[in-house]
C-alpha cells in the first residue's frame, strides 16, 4: 500500500485521542503538533501543512466537538475530511466530449510513466466505458518512444497511430483525429515528447498541439516518488498549458505521500488517476475520500 510511513505516523498521533472521553485544548495542540510533523516528514508542501493544521484545529476546538460524547472520534473524522478536501473532495472524472472523439493530451517529463499511462488509460476506457481508443505517437524526437507506444498498444490490443519521426507533432495529431473519425475511435490519447526538464521548445510544441486539436483533457503525468519536485513541475506545466488534471504515477512505491497531498492545493488541479504498478492494468481512478480513509487506516 502507498503512504505507509505517513499512515503510521498519523495513526500514532491520533491514537492518543481515539478513546478519550474528555479532550482538552492542550490535547488537541499536542496532536496537531504531531500531525504537522508527520505531514512535513511526508514532504507535504509547508504552506499546505500550515493551512491544513489551521483548518483542523479551528474545527476541533469547537464546543460541538469537545462537549460531544466521543470527541476523539470526531477529531479523527475532521482530520479525515480535511485530508480528503486537500486532495480535492469530489472524485475528478474525465470530461467526455459531447461530440466524439474525446481527445486527451498527455504531457510530462521523461520517465514519469507517460507512455505506460497512455496505454493504461486506453485499456481502462475500453473496459469501463466501452470506448474504442486510439493511441497517437507524437514523440518525434525518440524513435524508441514511437516503438514503445506500439509495444504497449499491442500488449492490450489497442491501435496506435504513428507517422514516424519526420513529420511534425502537430501534423501527426491532426492526421490522427481524421484517422479516428474514419475508424470509429471515440477516445484519442496523444502521447507527447518526454523531456528531462521543463524545456521551452517542447512546451511550445505542447501549446501548438493544444491549439491544433483543442483537447477535452490535458493530463499531466507526474512521478509521486519525486515529492515536491513533482508539485513544482505541475505548477510550471499548468502555468503554460492550463492542464485539466494530474496523473500521479508510481503511487505503489510512494511511502510518504507528499506530492499526492500537495498537488491539488498548490495547483488547483485535481489528481484524476493514479498509476499503481508497472502492469498495464495497474491504474486506479483517484478518489480523495477513499485515499484519506486509506491513509488514516
Ligand atoms: P515516460 O518516459 O514518461 O513515457 O515513462 P514510461 O512510461 O516509459 O515509464 C518509465 C518507467 O516507469 C517504466 O519502467 C515503467 O514501467 C515505470 N512505471 C510507469 N508507471 C508506473 C507505476 O505506476 N508504478 C511503477 N512501479 N512503475 C511505473
Amino acid at each position: 500500500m502507498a503512504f505507509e510511513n505517513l499512515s503510521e505516523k498519523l495513526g500514532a498521533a491520533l491514537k492518543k485521542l481515539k478513546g478519550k472521553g474528555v479532550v482538552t485544548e492542550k490535547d488537541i495542540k499536542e496532536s496537531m503538533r504531531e500531525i504537522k510533523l508527520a505531514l512535513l516528514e511526508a514532504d507535504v508542501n509547508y504552506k499546505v501543512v500550515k493551512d491544513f493544521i489551521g483548518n483542523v484545529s479551528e474545527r476541533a476546538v469547537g464546543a460541538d466537538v469537545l462537549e460531544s460524547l466521543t470527541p476523539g472520534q470526531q477529531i479523527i473524522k475532521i482530520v479525515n475530511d480535511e485530508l480528503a478536501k486537500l486532495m480535492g473532495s469530489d472524485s475528478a472524472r474525465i470530461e467526455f466530449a459531447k461530440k466524439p472523439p474525446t481527445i486527451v493530451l498527455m504531457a510530462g517529463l521523461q520517465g514519469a510513466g507517460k507512455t505506460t499511462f497512455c496505454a493504461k488509460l486506453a485499456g481502462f476506457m475500453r473496459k469501463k466505458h466501452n470506448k474504442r481508443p486510439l493511441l497517437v505517437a507524437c514523440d518525434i524526437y525518440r524513435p524508441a518512444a514511437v516503438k514503445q507506444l506500439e509495444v504497449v498498444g499491442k500488449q492490450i490490443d489497442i491501435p496506435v497511430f504513428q507517422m514516424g519521426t519526420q513529420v511534425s507533432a502537430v501534423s501527426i495529431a491532426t492526421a490522427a483525429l481524421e484517422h479516428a473519425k474514419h475508424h470509429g475511435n471515440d477516445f484519442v490519447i496523444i502521447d507527447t515528447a518526454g523531456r528531462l526538464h521543463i524545456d521551452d521548445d517542447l512546451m511550445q510544441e505542447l501549446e501548438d498541439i493544444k491549439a491544433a486539436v483543442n483537447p477535452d483533457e490535458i493530463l499531466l503525468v507526474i512521478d509521486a516518488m519525486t515529492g515536491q519536485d513533482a508539485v513544482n513541475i505541475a505548477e510550471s506545466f499548468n502555468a503554460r498549458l492550463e492542464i485539466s488534471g494530474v496523473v500521479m504515477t508510481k503511487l505503489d512505491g510512494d511511502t510518504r505521500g507528499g506530492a499526492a497531498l500537495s498537488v491539488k492545493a498548490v495547483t488547483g488541479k485535481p489528481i484524476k488517476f493514479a498509476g499503481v504498478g508497472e502492469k498495464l492494468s495497474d491504474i486506479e481512478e483517484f478518489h480523495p475520500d477513499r485515499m484519506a480513509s486509506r491513509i488514516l487506516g
Side-chain angles (χ1 to χ4, degrees), residues 24-26 28-29 55-67 75 78:
T24 63
E25 284 197 29
K26 188 163 161 280
I28 292 177
K29 239 189 185 146
N55 293 342
V56 173
S57 304
E58 195 176 312
R59 288 179 62 189
V61 297
D64 51 332
V65 174
L66 292 185
E67 287 163 19
I75 293 167
I78 292 170

Side-chain angles (χ1 to χ4, degrees), residues 109-116 120 148 249-250 252 275-278:
L109 295 187
Q110 203 166 307
K114 185 162 42 64
T115 303
T116 306
K120 285 179 176 178
Q148 190 191 346
T249 60
K250 309 188 195 180
D252 49 305
V276 292
E278 294 195 61

